[in-house]
Amino acid sequence: LTKKEKDSAFVWHPFDVMNLEENLFIKKGTGVFLHTQDGRKIIDAISSWWVNIHGHRNSHISKAVSKQLRYLEHVIFAGFTHEPAIRLAENLIRILPGKMDKVFFSDNGSTATEIALKLAIQYWANNKVPKTKIIALKGAYHGDTFGAMSVGERGGFNIPFEPYLFDVEFLDFPENNTEKCILQLDEYCKNGDVAAFIYEPLIQGSAGMRFYSPLLLDKLLKIAQQHQVICIADEVMTGFGRTGKNFASEYCTQKPDIICLSKALTGGYLPLGATVVNNKIFSAFEGKDIHKTFLHGHTYTANPLACAAANESIRILLSKECLNNRERISTKFEELKSALEKLPNLENTRTMGCILAFEVKNSNDTSYFNPLRERLYKSFLEKNILLRPLGNTVYLMPPYVIDNKTIDYIYKAIKEVV
Ligand SMILES: Cc1ncc(COP(=O)(O)O)c(C=O)c1O
């Protein structure tokens, strides 16, 4: 097949720089592997953009989705409800850190964060308190819609849209800038007009898997909460076991008021987002006043098939087998870290739970736009490994069913490629 035949001329792919990327035609997925049309077996070492935690075509999730198909594929979620959504809300409230009380469903990570921001802003409007300022961290990524872009790192992805983004105060990234970051937050909070603080807990994903400590985050949350600032944890990437615990916020003593979820929520089966809030937030929306209502909703909100997949994915996540796998990967990644640290061309090798990352040294700055990205991506693909480096940052975020032999194979490939 020619490239054109493989890749319909009518399809526009995301992040496809100048239409130069050759899109691999995937026919089938099995566990950690993607099978191409032309017979290659590729290791999905990034869980297809961080979603597929239990491997492709997990038999339990497939069964749960087909069972749900026998009853209801979709129904409007305004004025109607259904069992998979009710059960999923219960499941999430049960496993999320802190005391959360209400789940607002949507359909992806950007909508989950967009909704969190709107809820925080309307919370203060409903309470008639003039707090409007939003605080975020430098390097943040919360999605590609306008609100999400506004609280994300400026420049880079968002240059054409900057005139349209609302003002946000950005704190220096906490690790290595601890004192400055704390002082900055303290100063902003003292003005009394800060509505919300949004952050990716412990790891900034798209910024290049940048780690910062729970201790630092706890300090920031404490300051924010002392000033009644609404804390929004964007766990779209870190949720569902990635950092070792079920949610990164579990490492902290201070808990957020709002948690954003998506990505691994359905085990990579169907699009679903959730913005989960505590009663403090919800109480500002109660009552019969239409102007206090949260007038927001997406057509596929709480799609029953997606909810059924999510319920089964959570059941698997909490199973002994999955917990063992996560622990095994975590131990293996610690070993891998020590081995990688001995390689001359790598730096800043780090691991947390089921995530491992490092930078490949070169003369350019570490950034998403580092030109090594393309070479690394192609070299790993030639070895049948899907790793999608963020610039010169290479990271592993595999499905929890990956075995140690496959991790060893990836290690060997890294050694050869770098
Ligand atoms: C922390 C975080 N928030 C939000 C998003 C946006 O999610 P989506 O791509 O589903 O819109 C992402 C995506 O990478 C993310 O990493």
Short mmCIF file of all heavy atoms in Angstrom, two decimals, residues 375-400:
data_model
loop_
_atom_site.label_atom_id
_atom_site.label_comp_id
_atom_site.label_asym_id
_atom_site.label_seq_id
_atom_site.Cartn_x
_atom_site.Cartn_y
_atom_site.Cartn_z
N ARG A 375 13.92 12.26 15.43
CA ARG A 375 14.87 11.17 15.24
C ARG A 375 14.65 10.05 16.26
O ARG A 375 14.72 8.87 15.95
CB ARG A 375 16.30 11.69 15.34
CG ARG A 375 16.74 12.40 14.07
CD ARG A 375 18.09 13.04 14.24
NE ARG A 375 19.14 12.07 14.56
CZ ARG A 375 20.30 12.41 15.12
NH1 ARG A 375 20.55 13.66 15.41
NH2 ARG A 375 21.21 11.49 15.37
N LEU A 376 14.41 10.47 17.49
CA LEU A 376 14.18 9.47 18.55
C LEU A 376 12.92 8.67 18.24
O LEU A 376 12.91 7.44 18.28
CB LEU A 376 14.04 10.15 19.91
CG LEU A 376 15.31 10.78 20.49
CD1 LEU A 376 15.00 11.70 21.66
CD2 LEU A 376 16.29 9.69 20.95
N TYR A 377 11.85 9.38 17.91
CA TYR A 377 10.56 8.74 17.62
C TYR A 377 10.72 7.67 16.53
O TYR A 377 10.30 6.53 16.67
CB TYR A 377 9.56 9.83 17.21
CG TYR A 377 8.21 9.33 16.78
CD1 TYR A 377 7.31 8.80 17.71
CD2 TYR A 377 7.82 9.39 15.44
CE1 TYR A 377 6.05 8.35 17.31
CE2 TYR A 377 6.57 8.94 15.03
CZ TYR A 377 5.70 8.43 15.97
OH TYR A 377 4.46 7.98 15.57
N LYS A 378 11.39 8.09 15.44
CA LYS A 378 11.54 7.17 14.30
C LYS A 378 12.45 5.99 14.65
O LYS A 378 12.18 4.86 14.26
CB LYS A 378 12.09 7.93 13.09
CG LYS A 378 11.01 8.84 12.51
CD LYS A 378 11.37 9.35 11.15
CE LYS A 378 10.13 10.06 10.58
NZ LYS A 378 10.49 11.18 9.73
N SER A 379 13.52 6.29 15.40
CA SER A 379 14.46 5.20 15.74
C SER A 379 13.77 4.15 16.62
O SER A 379 13.99 2.95 16.43
CB SER A 379 15.67 5.74 16.48
OG SER A 379 16.24 6.79 15.77
N PHE A 380 12.95 4.59 17.57
CA PHE A 380 12.25 3.62 18.42
C PHE A 380 11.22 2.84 17.60
O PHE A 380 11.07 1.63 17.77
CB PHE A 380 11.60 4.31 19.62
CG PHE A 380 12.58 4.72 20.67
CD1 PHE A 380 12.73 6.05 21.04
CD2 PHE A 380 13.39 3.78 21.30
CE1 PHE A 380 13.66 6.44 22.01
CE2 PHE A 380 14.32 4.15 22.28
CZ PHE A 380 14.46 5.48 22.62
N LEU A 381 10.54 3.55 16.70
CA LEU A 381 9.54 2.85 15.88
C LEU A 381 10.20 1.78 15.00
O LEU A 381 9.64 0.70 14.80
CB LEU A 381 8.79 3.84 14.99
CG LEU A 381 7.41 4.28 15.46
CD1 LEU A 381 6.71 5.04 14.36
CD2 LEU A 381 6.53 3.12 15.94
N GLU A 382 11.39 2.10 14.51
CA GLU A 382 12.11 1.10 13.71
C GLU A 382 12.35 -0.17 14.52
O GLU A 382 12.46 -1.25 13.99
CB GLU A 382 13.45 1.67 13.23
CG GLU A 382 13.31 2.49 11.96
CD GLU A 382 14.53 3.37 11.70
OE1 GLU A 382 15.61 3.10 12.27
OE2 GLU A 382 14.38 4.35 10.93
N LYS A 383 12.45 -0.01 15.84
CA LYS A 383 12.63 -1.17 16.72
C LYS A 383 11.29 -1.66 17.26
O LYS A 383 11.21 -2.38 18.25
CB LYS A 383 13.57 -0.81 17.87
CG LYS A 383 14.97 -0.48 17.39
CD LYS A 383 15.90 -0.19 18.53
CE LYS A 383 17.30 0.12 18.03
NZ LYS A 383 17.93 -0.98 17.26
N ASN A 384 10.24 -1.22 16.60
CA ASN A 384 8.87 -1.63 16.96
C ASN A 384 8.46 -1.24 18.38
O ASN A 384 7.81 -2.00 19.09
CB ASN A 384 8.68 -3.14 16.75
CG ASN A 384 8.69 -3.47 15.28
OD1 ASN A 384 8.22 -2.69 14.46
ND2 ASN A 384 9.23 -4.63 14.94
N ILE A 385 8.87 -0.04 18.76
CA ILE A 385 8.44 0.49 20.06
C ILE A 385 7.81 1.86 19.82
O ILE A 385 8.42 2.74 19.21
CB ILE A 385 9.63 0.66 21.03
CG1 ILE A 385 10.36 -0.67 21.21
CG2 ILE A 385 9.16 1.19 22.38
CD1 ILE A 385 11.68 -0.54 21.93
N LEU A 386 6.60 2.03 20.32
CA LEU A 386 5.97 3.35 20.26
C LEU A 386 6.35 4.12 21.51
O LEU A 386 5.87 3.85 22.61
CB LEU A 386 4.44 3.22 20.15
CG LEU A 386 3.64 4.52 20.40
CD1 LEU A 386 4.07 5.65 19.47
CD2 LEU A 386 2.15 4.28 20.25
N LEU A 387 7.29 5.06 21.32
CA LEU A 387 7.63 6.05 22.36
C LEU A 387 7.48 7.38 21.64
O LEU A 387 7.96 7.53 20.53
CB LEU A 387 9.07 5.87 22.84
CG LEU A 387 9.32 4.69 23.78
CD1 LEU A 387 10.81 4.50 23.99
CD2 LEU A 387 8.64 4.92 25.12
N ARG A 388 6.77 8.31 22.23
CA ARG A 388 6.56 9.60 21.56
C ARG A 388 7.23 10.68 22.40
O ARG A 388 6.58 11.32 23.22
CB ARG A 388 5.05 9.86 21.47
CG ARG A 388 4.54 10.28 20.13
CD ARG A 388 3.08 10.65 20.21
NE ARG A 388 2.89 12.01 19.76
CZ ARG A 388 2.76 12.38 18.51
NH1 ARG A 388 2.76 11.49 17.55
NH2 ARG A 388 2.59 13.64 18.20
N PRO A 389 8.55 10.86 22.20
CA PRO A 389 9.28 11.79 23.07
C PRO A 389 8.69 13.19 23.04
O PRO A 389 8.15 13.63 22.02
CB PRO A 389 10.70 11.79 22.49
CG PRO A 389 10.80 10.56 21.70
CD PRO A 389 9.44 10.27 21.18
N LEU A 390 8.77 13.86 24.19
CA LEU A 390 8.39 15.27 24.28
C LEU A 390 9.68 16.03 24.05
O LEU A 390 10.45 16.25 24.98
CB LEU A 390 7.79 15.56 25.66
CG LEU A 390 6.50 14.77 25.98
CD1 LEU A 390 6.33 14.56 27.48
CD2 LEU A 390 5.28 15.45 25.40
N GLY A 391 9.98 16.36 22.81
CA GLY A 391 11.28 16.95 22.49
C GLY A 391 12.37 15.92 22.73
O GLY A 391 12.30 14.80 22.22
N ASN A 392 13.35 16.28 23.56
CA ASN A 392 14.42 15.32 23.89
C ASN A 392 14.12 14.56 25.18
O ASN A 392 14.99 13.88 25.70
CB ASN A 392 15.77 16.04 23.99
CG ASN A 392 15.77 17.14 25.04
OD1 ASN A 392 14.79 17.86 25.18
ND2 ASN A 392 16.85 17.26 25.77
N THR A 393 12.91 14.71 25.69
CA THR A 393 12.51 13.93 26.87
C THR A 393 11.83 12.64 26.42
O THR A 393 10.80 12.69 25.74
CB THR A 393 11.53 14.74 27.76
OG1 THR A 393 12.15 15.97 28.12
CG2 THR A 393 11.15 13.95 29.00
N VAL A 394 12.43 11.54 26.80
CA VAL A 394 11.84 10.24 26.47
C VAL A 394 11.16 9.72 27.73
O VAL A 394 11.72 9.85 28.83
CB VAL A 394 12.94 9.24 26.02
CG1 VAL A 394 12.35 7.86 25.74
CG2 VAL A 394 13.65 9.77 24.79
N TYR A 395 9.97 9.20 27.60
CA TYR A 395 9.31 8.66 28.79
C TYR A 395 8.61 7.35 28.45
O TYR A 395 8.20 7.11 27.31
CB TYR A 395 8.30 9.66 29.37
CG TYR A 395 7.12 9.87 28.47
CD1 TYR A 395 5.96 9.10 28.61
CD2 TYR A 395 7.16 10.82 27.45
CE1 TYR A 395 4.89 9.27 27.76
CE2 TYR A 395 6.09 10.99 26.60
CZ TYR A 395 4.95 10.21 26.76
OH TYR A 395 3.90 10.37 25.90
N LEU A 396 8.49 6.51 29.47
CA LEU A 396 7.74 5.25 29.35
C LEU A 396 6.51 5.36 30.23
O LEU A 396 6.61 5.76 31.40
CB LEU A 396 8.58 4.08 29.87
CG LEU A 396 9.52 3.35 28.92
CD1 LEU A 396 10.61 4.30 28.43
CD2 LEU A 396 10.15 2.17 29.62
N MET A 397 5.37 5.05 29.68
CA MET A 397 4.14 5.02 30.46
C MET A 397 3.27 3.88 29.91
O MET A 397 2.24 4.08 29.29
CB MET A 397 3.42 6.37 30.33
CG MET A 397 2.67 6.76 31.57
SD MET A 397 1.54 8.10 31.31
CE MET A 397 2.59 9.50 31.37
N PRO A 398 3.75 2.64 30.14
CA PRO A 398 3.12 1.50 29.46
C PRO A 398 1.84 1.03 30.16
O PRO A 398 1.60 1.38 31.32
CB PRO A 398 4.21 0.42 29.59
CG PRO A 398 4.91 0.76 30.87
CD PRO A 398 4.85 2.25 31.02
N PRO A 399 1.05 0.22 29.48
CA PRO A 399 -0.07 -0.43 30.15
C PRO A 399 0.47 -1.31 31.28
O PRO A 399 1.60 -1.83 31.18
CB PRO A 399 -0.69 -1.32 29.05
CG PRO A 399 -0.19 -0.76 27.76
CD PRO A 399 1.14 -0.16 28.05
N TYR A 400 -0.32 -1.48 32.34
CA TYR A 400 0.17 -2.22 33.51
C TYR A 400 0.36 -3.72 33.23
O TYR A 400 0.88 -4.45 34.07
CB TYR A 400 -0.78 -2.03 34.70
CG TYR A 400 -1.01 -0.57 35.07
CD1 TYR A 400 -2.26 -0.13 35.52
CD2 TYR A 400 0.01 0.37 34.96
CE1 TYR A 400 -2.48 1.20 35.84
CE2 TYR A 400 -0.20 1.71 35.28
CZ TYR A 400 -1.45 2.11 35.72
OH TYR A 400 -1.67 3.43 36.03
#
